[in-house]
Amino acid sequence: MDYKLQFKVIQPRGIFNGRKGKKLYQEVIEIIQSGINTVLIDFKEITFMDSSGFGTLLLTLKTVRQKEGRLVFSSLNDQIRMILDLSDTARVFEVFPDQASFTQTLAQKQEVIGK
């Protein structure tokens, strides 16, 4: 597998608040520092996200981009989508419907790179 296409998945659960957000931030930074440049956060198991959780996502995205990494989201529920839309940040985050669509996109890029 090409180094650029390696990624790690994080799947938070329950209510995504500031406390969980800070934990996720630390985990993402450790992954990026380990040499994996893409992190997929799968929100399938998140039931609710509050404003402090959202704030940590913005900080995480900013930090990952400064380190030339890639932060990707998947499986957003309607409430999280609404927060992104209302805050006008939907276009700032890279969002996929689910993990499978993300890995399919990576596989297609791998084929193009391999040719």
Side-chain angles (χ1 to χ4, degrees):
M1 181 182 253
D2 184 17
Y3 166 77
K4 294 261 185 229
L5 299 181
Q6 290 183 349
F7 69 97
K8 180 90 170 151
V9 177
I10 299 175
Q11 292 183 285
R13 288 184 165 76
I15 295 173
F16 192 79
N17 54 22
R19 189 173 54 77
K20 278 193 182 164
K22 287 176 186 169
K23 185 178 177 226
L24 180 131
Y25 174 83
Q26 288 300 324
E27 192 174 347
V28 169
I29 299 313
E30 288 171 16
I31 291 167
I32 296 293
Q33 289 174 339
S34 78
I36 296 174
N37 71 335
T38 301
V39 178
L40 170 67
I41 302 174
D42 186 333
F43 286 93
K44 183 171 47 177
E45 300 292 326
I46 291 295
T47 55
F48 179 81
M49 180 170 69
D50 70 11
S51 59
S52 59
F54 175 65
T56 60
L57 290 180
L58 289 171
L59 175 63
T60 304
L61 178 65
K62 179 181 176 186
T63 305
V64 166
R65 285 186 174 168
Q66 287 172 342
K67 297 182 180 294
E68 297 181 7
R70 180 178 178 199
L71 186 66
V72 182
F73 295 165
S74 71
S75 308
L76 300 183
N77 65 29
D78 290 340
Q79 187 256 340
I80 296 172
R81 262 185 218 291
M82 187 174 68
I83 290 173
L84 296 184
D85 289 341
L86 292 174
S87 62
D88 202 27
T89 57
R91 67 185 186 288
V92 173
F93 293 103
E94 191 175 355
V95 179
F96 287 83
D98 50 39
Q99 278 191 49
S101 350
F102 175 68
T103 54
Q104 184 177 8
T105 301
L106 279 185
Q108 290 168 349
K109 286 183 179 180
Q110 180 70 26
E111 288 174 15
V112 170
I113 290 171
K115 290 183 179 176

